[in-house]
């Protein structure tokens, strides 16, 4: 058996989780970006309100999609703390990602108008959020108990 095939077989579950998380994430990101851009650029809500509303809506979608498709949590396996852990993960990832993105982009693009800075910060925030959110969901929200591993 080739080393690549052995590596794949050893890490197949993790690889499939990443693939499924990416598929759910692409759908969620396109939906979320559309919502943020409409709220920020057309309705003229501020940076935090636009991204916050979008992440709330996306969070509900993500909870159900990732529980079912990515981490395969069945009804009988769900504990009562799951929704609370999910909400905590989303809030923490959101605050960190968007809290880092805006000042960072503002510093780098200091000569640009606020609308450019905040639109770029939205994209950077999405990238940071996605990476942190995957690991938060895998190791905190939908973590497998010792007997399920």
């Amino acid at each position: 058996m080739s080393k690549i095939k052995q590596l794949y077989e050893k890490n197949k579950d993790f690889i499939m989780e990443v693939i499924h998380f990416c598929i759910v994430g692409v759908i969620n990101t396109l939906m979320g970006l559309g919502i943020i851009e409409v709220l920020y650029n057309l309705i003229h809500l501020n940076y935090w309100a636009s991204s916050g509303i979008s992440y709330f809506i996306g969070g509900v979608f993500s909870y159900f999609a990732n529980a079912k498709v990515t981490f395969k949590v069945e009804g009988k396996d769900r504990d009562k703390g799951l929704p609370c852990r999910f909400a905590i993960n989303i809030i923490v990832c959101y605050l960190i990602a968007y809290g880092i993105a805006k000042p960072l982009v503002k510093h780098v693009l200091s000569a640009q108008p606020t609308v450019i800075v905040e639109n770029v910060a939205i994209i950077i925030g999405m990238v940071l959020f996605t990476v942190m959110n995957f690991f938060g969901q895998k190791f905190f929200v939908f973590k497998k108990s010792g007997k399920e591993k």
Side-chain angles (χ1 to χ4, degrees), residues 81-115:
L82 191 61
C84 186
R85 287 195 311 269
F86 185 86
I88 290 167
N89 180 64
I90 294 294
I91 291 166
V92 168
C93 291
Y94 168 76
L95 291 174
I96 292 171
Y98 281 82
I100 290 170
K102 189 172 181 181
L104 176 68
V105 173
K106 193 174 189 176
H107 175 73
V108 172
L109 300 177
S110 60
Q112 298 301 314
T114 301
V115 70

PDB file of all heavy atoms in Angstrom, residues 81-115:
ATOM      1  N   GLY A  81     -26.164  20.290  26.093  1.00  0.00           N
ATOM      2  CA  GLY A  81     -25.242  21.423  26.020  1.00  0.00           C
ATOM      3  C   GLY A  81     -24.788  21.778  24.615  1.00  0.00           C
ATOM      4  O   GLY A  81     -24.127  22.792  24.414  1.00  0.00           O
ATOM      5  N   LEU A  82     -25.139  20.960  23.643  1.00  0.00           N
ATOM      6  CA  LEU A  82     -24.678  21.174  22.273  1.00  0.00           C
ATOM      7  C   LEU A  82     -25.047  22.548  21.708  1.00  0.00           C
ATOM      8  O   LEU A  82     -24.163  23.263  21.229  1.00  0.00           O
ATOM      9  CB  LEU A  82     -25.189  20.047  21.376  1.00  0.00           C
ATOM     10  CG  LEU A  82     -24.608  19.942  19.982  1.00  0.00           C
ATOM     11  CD1 LEU A  82     -23.112  19.697  20.026  1.00  0.00           C
ATOM     12  CD2 LEU A  82     -25.288  18.803  19.228  1.00  0.00           C
ATOM     13  N   PRO A  83     -26.304  22.964  21.754  1.00  0.00           N
ATOM     14  CA  PRO A  83     -26.634  24.293  21.209  1.00  0.00           C
ATOM     15  C   PRO A  83     -25.898  25.427  21.928  1.00  0.00           C
ATOM     16  O   PRO A  83     -25.465  26.392  21.300  1.00  0.00           O
ATOM     17  CB  PRO A  83     -28.146  24.407  21.406  1.00  0.00           C
ATOM     18  CG  PRO A  83     -28.628  23.005  21.503  1.00  0.00           C
ATOM     19  CD  PRO A  83     -27.512  22.246  22.165  1.00  0.00           C
ATOM     20  N   CYS A  84     -25.734  25.280  23.232  1.00  0.00           N
ATOM     21  CA  CYS A  84     -25.023  26.310  24.008  1.00  0.00           C
ATOM     22  C   CYS A  84     -23.551  26.371  23.603  1.00  0.00           C
ATOM     23  O   CYS A  84     -23.004  27.457  23.395  1.00  0.00           O
ATOM     24  CB  CYS A  84     -25.169  26.018  25.496  1.00  0.00           C
ATOM     25  SG  CYS A  84     -24.488  27.309  26.537  1.00  0.00           S
ATOM     26  N   ARG A  85     -22.904  25.203  23.474  1.00  0.00           N
ATOM     27  CA  ARG A  85     -21.497  25.173  23.043  1.00  0.00           C
ATOM     28  C   ARG A  85     -21.363  25.746  21.634  1.00  0.00           C
ATOM     29  O   ARG A  85     -20.405  26.459  21.333  1.00  0.00           O
ATOM     30  CB  ARG A  85     -20.934  23.751  23.090  1.00  0.00           C
ATOM     31  CG  ARG A  85     -20.674  23.236  24.483  1.00  0.00           C
ATOM     32  CD  ARG A  85     -19.791  22.000  24.511  1.00  0.00           C
ATOM     33  NE  ARG A  85     -20.184  20.945  23.603  1.00  0.00           N
ATOM     34  CZ  ARG A  85     -21.013  19.949  23.896  1.00  0.00           C
ATOM     35  NH1 ARG A  85     -21.575  19.889  25.091  1.00  0.00           N
ATOM     36  NH2 ARG A  85     -21.286  19.023  23.004  1.00  0.00           N
ATOM     37  N   PHE A  86     -22.323  25.430  20.759  1.00  0.00           N
ATOM     38  CA  PHE A  86     -22.283  25.948  19.400  1.00  0.00           C
ATOM     39  C   PHE A  86     -22.365  27.477  19.418  1.00  0.00           C
ATOM     40  O   PHE A  86     -21.587  28.152  18.758  1.00  0.00           O
ATOM     41  CB  PHE A  86     -23.428  25.364  18.555  1.00  0.00           C
ATOM     42  CG  PHE A  86     -23.351  25.773  17.116  1.00  0.00           C
ATOM     43  CD1 PHE A  86     -22.574  25.041  16.229  1.00  0.00           C
ATOM     44  CD2 PHE A  86     -24.029  26.879  16.652  1.00  0.00           C
ATOM     45  CE1 PHE A  86     -22.486  25.421  14.897  1.00  0.00           C
ATOM     46  CE2 PHE A  86     -23.944  27.265  15.330  1.00  0.00           C
ATOM     47  CZ  PHE A  86     -23.174  26.533  14.445  1.00  0.00           C
ATOM     48  N   ALA A  87     -23.313  28.016  20.177  1.00  0.00           N
ATOM     49  CA  ALA A  87     -23.471  29.472  20.259  1.00  0.00           C
ATOM     50  C   ALA A  87     -22.215  30.138  20.821  1.00  0.00           C
ATOM     51  O   ALA A  87     -21.756  31.162  20.289  1.00  0.00           O
ATOM     52  CB  ALA A  87     -24.692  29.819  21.110  1.00  0.00           C
ATOM     53  N   ILE A  88     -21.645  29.550  21.855  1.00  0.00           N
ATOM     54  CA  ILE A  88     -20.411  30.101  22.439  1.00  0.00           C
ATOM     55  C   ILE A  88     -19.294  30.096  21.403  1.00  0.00           C
ATOM     56  O   ILE A  88     -18.575  31.089  21.242  1.00  0.00           O
ATOM     57  CB  ILE A  88     -19.999  29.318  23.704  1.00  0.00           C
ATOM     58  CG1 ILE A  88     -20.978  29.598  24.839  1.00  0.00           C
ATOM     59  CG2 ILE A  88     -18.562  29.643  24.117  1.00  0.00           C
ATOM     60  CD1 ILE A  88     -20.852  28.650  26.019  1.00  0.00           C
ATOM     61  N   ASN A  89     -19.148  28.992  20.685  1.00  0.00           N
ATOM     62  CA  ASN A  89     -18.113  28.892  19.658  1.00  0.00           C
ATOM     63  C   ASN A  89     -18.294  29.963  18.585  1.00  0.00           C
ATOM     64  O   ASN A  89     -17.341  30.652  18.212  1.00  0.00           O
ATOM     65  CB  ASN A  89     -18.132  27.497  19.025  1.00  0.00           C
ATOM     66  CG  ASN A  89     -17.081  27.346  17.955  1.00  0.00           C
ATOM     67  OD1 ASN A  89     -15.884  27.418  18.222  1.00  0.00           O
ATOM     68  ND2 ASN A  89     -17.520  27.160  16.721  1.00  0.00           N
ATOM     69  N   ILE A  90     -19.511  30.111  18.082  1.00  0.00           N
ATOM     70  CA  ILE A  90     -19.783  31.098  17.034  1.00  0.00           C
ATOM     71  C   ILE A  90     -19.480  32.506  17.538  1.00  0.00           C
ATOM     72  O   ILE A  90     -18.815  33.293  16.856  1.00  0.00           O
ATOM     73  CB  ILE A  90     -21.255  31.000  16.549  1.00  0.00           C
ATOM     74  CG1 ILE A  90     -21.504  29.674  15.842  1.00  0.00           C
ATOM     75  CG2 ILE A  90     -21.627  32.177  15.650  1.00  0.00           C
ATOM     76  CD1 ILE A  90     -20.771  29.481  14.543  1.00  0.00           C
ATOM     77  N   ILE A  91     -19.947  32.829  18.735  1.00  0.00           N
ATOM     78  CA  ILE A  91     -19.738  34.177  19.283  1.00  0.00           C
ATOM     79  C   ILE A  91     -18.258  34.465  19.485  1.00  0.00           C
ATOM     80  O   ILE A  91     -17.758  35.525  19.092  1.00  0.00           O
ATOM     81  CB  ILE A  91     -20.528  34.358  20.597  1.00  0.00           C
ATOM     82  CG1 ILE A  91     -22.030  34.388  20.288  1.00  0.00           C
ATOM     83  CG2 ILE A  91     -20.104  35.621  21.334  1.00  0.00           C
ATOM     84  CD1 ILE A  91     -22.927  34.218  21.507  1.00  0.00           C
ATOM     85  N   VAL A  92     -17.532  33.531  20.070  1.00  0.00           N
ATOM     86  CA  VAL A  92     -16.098  33.736  20.321  1.00  0.00           C
ATOM     87  C   VAL A  92     -15.332  33.869  19.002  1.00  0.00           C
ATOM     88  O   VAL A  92     -14.530  34.797  18.836  1.00  0.00           O
ATOM     89  CB  VAL A  92     -15.524  32.599  21.201  1.00  0.00           C
ATOM     90  CG1 VAL A  92     -14.003  32.628  21.235  1.00  0.00           C
ATOM     91  CG2 VAL A  92     -16.087  32.696  22.616  1.00  0.00           C
ATOM     92  N   CYS A  93     -15.592  32.959  18.068  1.00  0.00           N
ATOM     93  CA  CYS A  93     -14.907  33.028  16.768  1.00  0.00           C
ATOM     94  C   CYS A  93     -15.231  34.327  16.048  1.00  0.00           C
ATOM     95  O   CYS A  93     -14.352  34.973  15.465  1.00  0.00           O
ATOM     96  CB  CYS A  93     -15.280  31.843  15.885  1.00  0.00           C
ATOM     97  SG  CYS A  93     -14.629  30.269  16.469  1.00  0.00           S
ATOM     98  N   TYR A  94     -16.500  34.725  16.082  1.00  0.00           N
ATOM     99  CA  TYR A  94     -16.937  35.968  15.423  1.00  0.00           C
ATOM    100  C   TYR A  94     -16.229  37.183  16.025  1.00  0.00           C
ATOM    101  O   TYR A  94     -15.666  38.003  15.307  1.00  0.00           O
ATOM    102  CB  TYR A  94     -18.461  36.109  15.538  1.00  0.00           C
ATOM    103  CG  TYR A  94     -18.972  37.472  15.157  1.00  0.00           C
ATOM    104  CD1 TYR A  94     -19.057  37.855  13.819  1.00  0.00           C
ATOM    105  CD2 TYR A  94     -19.354  38.383  16.130  1.00  0.00           C
ATOM    106  CE1 TYR A  94     -19.516  39.112  13.473  1.00  0.00           C
ATOM    107  CE2 TYR A  94     -19.812  39.640  15.786  1.00  0.00           C
ATOM    108  CZ  TYR A  94     -19.897  39.999  14.465  1.00  0.00           C
ATOM    109  OH  TYR A  94     -20.337  41.250  14.122  1.00  0.00           O
ATOM    110  N   LEU A  95     -16.268  37.300  17.348  1.00  0.00           N
ATOM    111  CA  LEU A  95     -15.658  38.469  17.996  1.00  0.00           C
ATOM    112  C   LEU A  95     -14.150  38.535  17.761  1.00  0.00           C
ATOM    113  O   LEU A  95     -13.606  39.611  17.499  1.00  0.00           O
ATOM    114  CB  LEU A  95     -15.978  38.475  19.494  1.00  0.00           C
ATOM    115  CG  LEU A  95     -17.442  38.738  19.853  1.00  0.00           C
ATOM    116  CD1 LEU A  95     -17.664  38.563  21.355  1.00  0.00           C
ATOM    117  CD2 LEU A  95     -17.890  40.118  19.386  1.00  0.00           C
ATOM    118  N   ILE A  96     -13.485  37.392  17.839  1.00  0.00           N
ATOM    119  CA  ILE A  96     -12.039  37.385  17.600  1.00  0.00           C
ATOM    120  C   ILE A  96     -11.732  37.711  16.144  1.00  0.00           C
ATOM    121  O   ILE A  96     -10.910  38.587  15.850  1.00  0.00           O
ATOM    122  CB  ILE A  96     -11.409  36.032  18.001  1.00  0.00           C
ATOM    123  CG1 ILE A  96     -11.470  35.857  19.522  1.00  0.00           C
ATOM    124  CG2 ILE A  96      -9.960  35.940  17.511  1.00  0.00           C
ATOM    125  CD1 ILE A  96     -11.076  34.464  20.002  1.00  0.00           C
ATOM    126  N   ALA A  97     -12.399  37.022  15.212  1.00  0.00           N
ATOM    127  CA  ALA A  97     -12.099  37.207  13.785  1.00  0.00           C
ATOM    128  C   ALA A  97     -12.372  38.634  13.326  1.00  0.00           C
ATOM    129  O   ALA A  97     -11.522  39.271  12.698  1.00  0.00           O
ATOM    130  CB  ALA A  97     -12.919  36.221  12.946  1.00  0.00           C
ATOM    131  N   TYR A  98     -13.549  39.134  13.643  1.00  0.00           N
ATOM    132  CA  TYR A  98     -13.895  40.483  13.189  1.00  0.00           C
ATOM    133  C   TYR A  98     -13.212  41.556  14.022  1.00  0.00           C
ATOM    134  O   TYR A  98     -12.939  42.648  13.534  1.00  0.00           O
ATOM    135  CB  TYR A  98     -15.413  40.653  13.120  1.00  0.00           C
ATOM    136  CG  TYR A  98     -15.947  40.019  11.863  1.00  0.00           C
ATOM    137  CD1 TYR A  98     -16.191  38.658  11.802  1.00  0.00           C
ATOM    138  CD2 TYR A  98     -16.134  40.764  10.712  1.00  0.00           C
ATOM    139  CE1 TYR A  98     -16.626  38.055  10.642  1.00  0.00           C
ATOM    140  CE2 TYR A  98     -16.569  40.175   9.537  1.00  0.00           C
ATOM    141  CZ  TYR A  98     -16.813  38.816   9.511  1.00  0.00           C
ATOM    142  OH  TYR A  98     -17.223  38.233   8.345  1.00  0.00           O
ATOM    143  N   GLY A  99     -12.905  41.240  15.275  1.00  0.00           N
ATOM    144  CA  GLY A  99     -12.150  42.164  16.114  1.00  0.00           C
ATOM    145  C   GLY A  99     -10.711  42.328  15.645  1.00  0.00           C
ATOM    146  O   GLY A  99     -10.123  43.400  15.783  1.00  0.00           O
ATOM    147  N   ILE A 100     -10.131  41.282  15.072  1.00  0.00           N
ATOM    148  CA  ILE A 100      -8.780  41.350  14.504  1.00  0.00           C
ATOM    149  C   ILE A 100      -8.816  41.972  13.108  1.00  0.00           C
ATOM    150  O   ILE A 100      -7.983  42.806  12.771  1.00  0.00           O
ATOM    151  CB  ILE A 100      -8.151  39.939  14.425  1.00  0.00           C
ATOM    152  CG1 ILE A 100      -7.823  39.420  15.814  1.00  0.00           C
ATOM    153  CG2 ILE A 100      -6.898  39.941  13.542  1.00  0.00           C
ATOM    154  CD1 ILE A 100      -7.417  37.946  15.849  1.00  0.00           C
ATOM    155  N   ALA A 101      -9.790  41.566  12.297  1.00  0.00           N
ATOM    156  CA  ALA A 101      -9.825  41.966  10.888  1.00  0.00           C
ATOM    157  C   ALA A 101      -9.935  43.475  10.700  1.00  0.00           C
ATOM    158  O   ALA A 101      -9.181  44.057   9.918  1.00  0.00           O
ATOM    159  CB  ALA A 101     -10.977  41.263  10.170  1.00  0.00           C
ATOM    160  N   LYS A 102     -10.853  44.100  11.389  1.00  0.00           N
ATOM    161  CA  LYS A 102     -11.082  45.531  11.151  1.00  0.00           C
ATOM    162  C   LYS A 102      -9.864  46.390  11.501  1.00  0.00           C
ATOM    163  O   LYS A 102      -9.408  47.169  10.670  1.00  0.00           O
ATOM    164  CB  LYS A 102     -12.330  46.011  11.876  1.00  0.00           C
ATOM    165  CG  LYS A 102     -12.712  47.429  11.459  1.00  0.00           C
ATOM    166  CD  LYS A 102     -14.045  47.826  12.026  1.00  0.00           C
ATOM    167  CE  LYS A 102     -14.403  49.234  11.576  1.00  0.00           C
ATOM    168  NZ  LYS A 102     -15.679  49.664  12.139  1.00  0.00           N
ATOM    169  N   PRO A 103      -9.276  46.254  12.701  1.00  0.00           N
ATOM    170  CA  PRO A 103      -8.098  47.085  12.998  1.00  0.00           C
ATOM    171  C   PRO A 103      -6.904  46.765  12.088  1.00  0.00           C
ATOM    172  O   PRO A 103      -6.158  47.668  11.685  1.00  0.00           O
ATOM    173  CB  PRO A 103      -7.753  46.761  14.450  1.00  0.00           C
ATOM    174  CG  PRO A 103      -8.901  46.023  15.005  1.00  0.00           C
ATOM    175  CD  PRO A 103      -9.711  45.498  13.868  1.00  0.00           C
ATOM    176  N   LEU A 104      -6.733  45.484  11.749  1.00  0.00           N
ATOM    177  CA  LEU A 104      -5.632  45.087  10.876  1.00  0.00           C
ATOM    178  C   LEU A 104      -5.776  45.732   9.490  1.00  0.00           C
ATOM    179  O   LEU A 104      -4.842  46.353   8.983  1.00  0.00           O
ATOM    180  CB  LEU A 104      -5.581  43.563  10.749  1.00  0.00           C
ATOM    181  CG  LEU A 104      -4.542  43.003   9.788  1.00  0.00           C
ATOM    182  CD1 LEU A 104      -3.137  43.254  10.325  1.00  0.00           C
ATOM    183  CD2 LEU A 104      -4.765  41.515   9.572  1.00  0.00           C
ATOM    184  N   VAL A 105      -6.944  45.599   8.909  1.00  0.00           N
ATOM    185  CA  VAL A 105      -7.174  46.163   7.568  1.00  0.00           C
ATOM    186  C   VAL A 105      -7.145  47.689   7.626  1.00  0.00           C
ATOM    187  O   VAL A 105      -6.613  48.336   6.727  1.00  0.00           O
ATOM    188  CB  VAL A 105      -8.506  45.639   6.977  1.00  0.00           C
ATOM    189  CG1 VAL A 105      -8.839  46.348   5.675  1.00  0.00           C
ATOM    190  CG2 VAL A 105      -8.428  44.131   6.767  1.00  0.00           C
ATOM    191  N   LYS A 106      -7.675  48.247   8.681  1.00  0.00           N
ATOM    192  CA  LYS A 106      -7.651  49.712   8.851  1.00  0.00           C
ATOM    193  C   LYS A 106      -6.213  50.222   8.885  1.00  0.00           C
ATOM    194  O   LYS A 106      -5.896  51.253   8.297  1.00  0.00           O
ATOM    195  CB  LYS A 106      -8.395  50.094  10.126  1.00  0.00           C
ATOM    196  CG  LYS A 106      -8.705  51.546  10.255  1.00  0.00           C
ATOM    197  CD  LYS A 106      -9.573  51.776  11.490  1.00  0.00           C
ATOM    198  CE  LYS A 106     -10.089  53.190  11.531  1.00  0.00           C
ATOM    199  NZ  LYS A 106     -10.993  53.404  12.661  1.00  0.00           N
ATOM    200  N   HIS A 107      -5.340  49.478   9.538  1.00  0.00           N
ATOM    201  CA  HIS A 107      -3.929  49.858   9.609  1.00  0.00           C
ATOM    202  C   HIS A 107      -3.258  49.728   8.234  1.00  0.00           C
ATOM    203  O   HIS A 107      -2.542  50.623   7.802  1.00  0.00           O
ATOM    204  CB  HIS A 107      -3.206  48.979  10.637  1.00  0.00           C
ATOM    205  CG  HIS A 107      -1.732  49.209  10.698  1.00  0.00           C
ATOM    206  ND1 HIS A 107      -1.185  50.341  11.261  1.00  0.00           N
ATOM    207  CD2 HIS A 107      -0.690  48.469  10.245  1.00  0.00           C
ATOM    208  CE1 HIS A 107       0.134  50.285  11.153  1.00  0.00           C
ATOM    209  NE2 HIS A 107       0.461  49.156  10.541  1.00  0.00           N
ATOM    210  N   VAL A 108      -3.495  48.608   7.560  1.00  0.00           N
ATOM    211  CA  VAL A 108      -2.851  48.348   6.262  1.00  0.00           C
ATOM    212  C   VAL A 108      -3.395  49.269   5.173  1.00  0.00           C
ATOM    213  O   VAL A 108      -2.642  49.743   4.321  1.00  0.00           O
ATOM    214  CB  VAL A 108      -3.027  46.860   5.868  1.00  0.00           C
ATOM    215  CG1 VAL A 108      -2.548  46.599   4.450  1.00  0.00           C
ATOM    216  CG2 VAL A 108      -2.302  45.953   6.851  1.00  0.00           C
ATOM    217  N   LEU A 109      -4.689  49.524   5.193  1.00  0.00           N
ATOM    218  CA  LEU A 109      -5.324  50.346   4.152  1.00  0.00           C
ATOM    219  C   LEU A 109      -5.742  51.715   4.697  1.00  0.00           C
ATOM    220  O   LEU A 109      -6.800  52.235   4.341  1.00  0.00           O
ATOM    221  CB  LEU A 109      -6.544  49.615   3.577  1.00  0.00           C
ATOM    222  CG  LEU A 109      -6.295  48.263   2.933  1.00  0.00           C
ATOM    223  CD1 LEU A 109      -7.603  47.631   2.475  1.00  0.00           C
ATOM    224  CD2 LEU A 109      -5.323  48.372   1.774  1.00  0.00           C
ATOM    225  N   SER A 110      -4.909  52.289   5.529  1.00  0.00           N
ATOM    226  CA  SER A 110      -5.269  53.530   6.222  1.00  0.00           C
ATOM    227  C   SER A 110      -5.604  54.692   5.280  1.00  0.00           C
ATOM    228  O   SER A 110      -6.360  55.581   5.648  1.00  0.00           O
ATOM    229  CB  SER A 110      -4.151  53.948   7.177  1.00  0.00           C
ATOM    230  OG  SER A 110      -2.939  54.159   6.462  1.00  0.00           O
ATOM    231  N   ALA A 111      -5.092  54.679   4.068  1.00  0.00           N
ATOM    232  CA  ALA A 111      -5.364  55.773   3.127  1.00  0.00           C
ATOM    233  C   ALA A 111      -6.674  55.571   2.356  1.00  0.00           C
ATOM    234  O   ALA A 111      -7.104  56.466   1.634  1.00  0.00           O
ATOM    235  CB  ALA A 111      -4.206  55.900   2.142  1.00  0.00           C
ATOM    236  N   GLN A 112      -7.301  54.420   2.536  1.00  0.00           N
ATOM    237  CA  GLN A 112      -8.517  54.115   1.773  1.00  0.00           C
ATOM    238  C   GLN A 112      -9.767  54.597   2.524  1.00  0.00           C
ATOM    239  O   GLN A 112      -9.758  54.714   3.742  1.00  0.00           O
ATOM    240  CB  GLN A 112      -8.610  52.602   1.535  1.00  0.00           C
ATOM    241  CG  GLN A 112      -7.484  52.030   0.718  1.00  0.00           C
ATOM    242  CD  GLN A 112      -7.380  52.675  -0.653  1.00  0.00           C
ATOM    243  OE1 GLN A 112      -8.371  52.847  -1.338  1.00  0.00           O
ATOM    244  NE2 GLN A 112      -6.169  53.048  -1.031  1.00  0.00           N
ATOM    245  N   PRO A 113     -10.844  54.819   1.779  1.00  0.00           N
ATOM    246  CA  PRO A 113     -12.105  55.213   2.428  1.00  0.00           C
ATOM    247  C   PRO A 113     -12.637  54.091   3.338  1.00  0.00           C
ATOM    248  O   PRO A 113     -12.365  52.906   3.114  1.00  0.00           O
ATOM    249  CB  PRO A 113     -13.071  55.440   1.269  1.00  0.00           C
ATOM    250  CG  PRO A 113     -12.273  55.385   0.016  1.00  0.00           C
ATOM    251  CD  PRO A 113     -10.944  54.776   0.335  1.00  0.00           C
ATOM    252  N   THR A 114     -13.413  54.467   4.335  1.00  0.00           N
ATOM    253  CA  THR A 114     -13.963  53.508   5.295  1.00  0.00           C
ATOM    254  C   THR A 114     -14.715  52.379   4.613  1.00  0.00           C
ATOM    255  O   THR A 114     -14.603  51.219   5.020  1.00  0.00           O
ATOM    256  CB  THR A 114     -14.893  54.232   6.293  1.00  0.00           C
ATOM    257  OG1 THR A 114     -14.134  55.233   6.967  1.00  0.00           O
ATOM    258  CG2 THR A 114     -15.477  53.276   7.311  1.00  0.00           C
ATOM    259  N   VAL A 115     -15.477  52.663   3.585  1.00  0.00           N
ATOM    260  CA  VAL A 115     -16.268  51.631   2.917  1.00  0.00           C
ATOM    261  C   VAL A 115     -15.358  50.546   2.322  1.00  0.00           C
ATOM    262  O   VAL A 115     -15.686  49.370   2.373  1.00  0.00           O
ATOM    263  CB  VAL A 115     -17.232  52.235   1.854  1.00  0.00           C
ATOM    264  CG1 VAL A 115     -16.482  52.778   0.656  1.00  0.00           C
ATOM    265  CG2 VAL A 115     -18.272  51.213   1.432  1.00  0.00           C
TER     266      VAL A 115
END
